[in-house]
Amino acid sequence: MQLSQATLTHQTAISPSFKQYLTFNTGGECYALGILLVKEIIEFGGITKIPLMPTFVRGVINLRGAVVPVIDLSARLYGKCVDEGKRTCIVIVEVPNNADGVTELGVVVDGVNEVLELNSAELTAPPQFGSKIRTDFIEAMARLSDRLLMILAPEKVLSVEEMASLVAVTEHVNNQEH
Amino acid sequence: MNTVKLIASSNADSASEWLIITFIQKSLRYLHRYGVVLPYLLLGLTLGFVLAAFWCIWSILIAAFLLVAWGLERQLYVELQEVKFAYLQQVAANEHLQQQITQQSDNGLAELLSTLCQQIELARGDANNAVTGLTADFQFIYDALDHSIHLANNASAQFGQNDAGFAKDSKVELANVIKALNAALASKSELVQSVNYVSETATELMTQTASIQKISKEINLLSLNASIEAARAGAAGRGFAVVAERVRELSDITAEAANLIIQRMHTLMSAVGASSTKLSASQQQDQHILIEAEQKISAVLEQMNGVNQQLNDNVHALEQNAATVQQKVATALMQFQFQDRVSQKLGHTADALGQIQLLLGSEQALNKNQITAISEQLYASYTMKEERDSHQGAASNTTHVENEITFF
């Protein structure tokens, strides 16, 4: 097995059609993110809550001196916060923004599984219905031996602008209420 | 009407009946004629008869009274004569008796006094003998009691010593038993401690295994991060990605192993916990039993002590009783000295009687002075106050010269 994996890895090094993904669980479903977007994975904890934020913004963390906002993916996708467990962790991702830079974001997930290498032949287009989420959040679907894996589109799911507008709307609503 | 009837019937009857009827007819005719005078005549006759009768009765009664009075007077006279004679006879007899007494008095009294003296001496002798015998008997009783008290003392002392020794021995042996039980209990408690130690160690192991789990999780995360770094390094990181993947697998295996260990540990802990609980319960039970045994043993020892105490007390009481009896006997022996006093009293009395006898023997008439002299001599010879008191009580009218010397 070790040998075959090594062979596989060797093959992927040659063929550009292979791409690596980080798989994780959130909201009871298995998702994947392109590994090049992922910077690192850290243990859950040390989150400072920020008042008057929508539920999917869990707060900010201090990541080696940099203040990084943390998004709850489950809340973003299903409107339901993650239950903190042993395997809960924060995936630090780099999302490209409009100003030709990248924004670091922390994403709270139920648990990280593994790094998968998928052939483009294994990927299919997202379905038009049948999923619990907006299909534009899904970049593609991967057929694994026993299940399907949703590969998230980070520029949609973790769109900084959209989230900022959402925050603004929330603030506006809150101001009106006051 | 009747007459008519009678006349009618007479016609048919005999001549005699006719005569009677005629007489009755005549009588009735006279009665009818002089009927008013007849009652007065009868009254006069009756009164005369009664008066005559009274006179006769009174005469007879008076005659009878006179007769009876004369008879009584004669009888009284005769009786008075008899009484006079009897009196005279009595007087004569008395005179005779007096004479006799006067004649015999001197000799008889002397003899009587002599007899009395002899009797008194005899009584003294008897009393002396009896009291001497009694004294000897009481002395024997006293000695016997002394011996008994001595024996009782010895027995008490011996008993006390033995008893104390026995009680002490029992106490020591029972204390040994309790010590042995305590030792057994201590060994058991050591066992319990070791079991508890095992349990604690198992808990520590669990904690350590949990830390292993945590480490494996961190390694997993580290390996993922390594994979990410390798991917970001592009082609150069390919080999490192393989290493990272392998590390991740190893961390998974470690986590599984740790899980398994934790499961086994749980089983072991529950078993150890159960045995520890049982052991603790058993230990407690043993402790209870030990405490109970100690209590019982001390109770038994106390009872034994109580019994010993009672026995000792009884022996002491026996001793005391014997001593009291001995004391009483000693007092009784002292009391026997009264015999001496009785003897003295009797001796004095006998002396006095002897003097009286001598006086009587001298055939001189006793006069009051002589008797007083004897009495005073008797008084002077007294050695005891009670004798003098008694003498003074008997003859309080006579005065005596006090002899101050008193012997005891």
Side-chain angles (χ1 to χ4, degrees), chain B residues 252-316:
Chain B
D252 278 353
I253 291 164
T254 312
E256 269 173 34
N259 265 335
L260 206 64
I261 287 170
I262 281 177
Q263 279 175 13
R264 291 282 161 83
M265 277 293 183
H266 272 300
T267 318
L268 184 73
M269 288 262 292
S270 61
V272 168
S275 54
S276 168
T277 314
K278 276 180 191 169
L279 266 174
S280 287
S282 147
Q283 193 189 12
Q284 276 186 352
Q285 207 175 353
D286 284 4
Q287 216 146 10
H288 278 305
I289 288 165
L290 188 65
I291 287 164
E292 221 167 284
E294 271 178 351
Q295 280 173 352
K296 277 179 184 167
I297 283 165
S298 53
V300 166
L301 280 176
E302 214 163 298
Q303 272 185 342
M304 257 163 67
N305 275 338
V307 168
N308 291 342
Q309 191 60 43
Q310 215 174 349
L311 279 169
N312 264 334
D313 288 353
N314 285 348
V315 169
H316 279 304

Side-chain angles (χ1 to χ4, degrees), chain A residues 2 4 17 28 56 62 121 127 141 158 174 178:
Chain A
Q2 200 176 3
S4 66
S17 60
F56 63 86
N62 182 358
M141 296 205 73
L158 306 169
N174 285 341
H178 287 290

Side-chain angles (χ1 to χ4, degrees), chain A residues 50-60 69-72 76 105 157-178:
Chain A
I50 297 171
L52 300 174
M53 282 287 143
T55 47
F56 63 86
V57 180
R58 291 292 288 260
V60 291
V70 178
I71 308 297
D72 192 328
R76 176 90 169 108
L105 275 178
V157 176
L158 306 169
S159 163
V160 177
E161 287 78 18
E162 195 180 345
M163 284 195 283
S165 67
L166 276 171
V167 170
V169 167
T170 316
E171 278 175 355
H172 181 66
V173 169
N174 285 341
N175 286 338
Q176 276 189 336
E177 278 177 1
H178 287 290

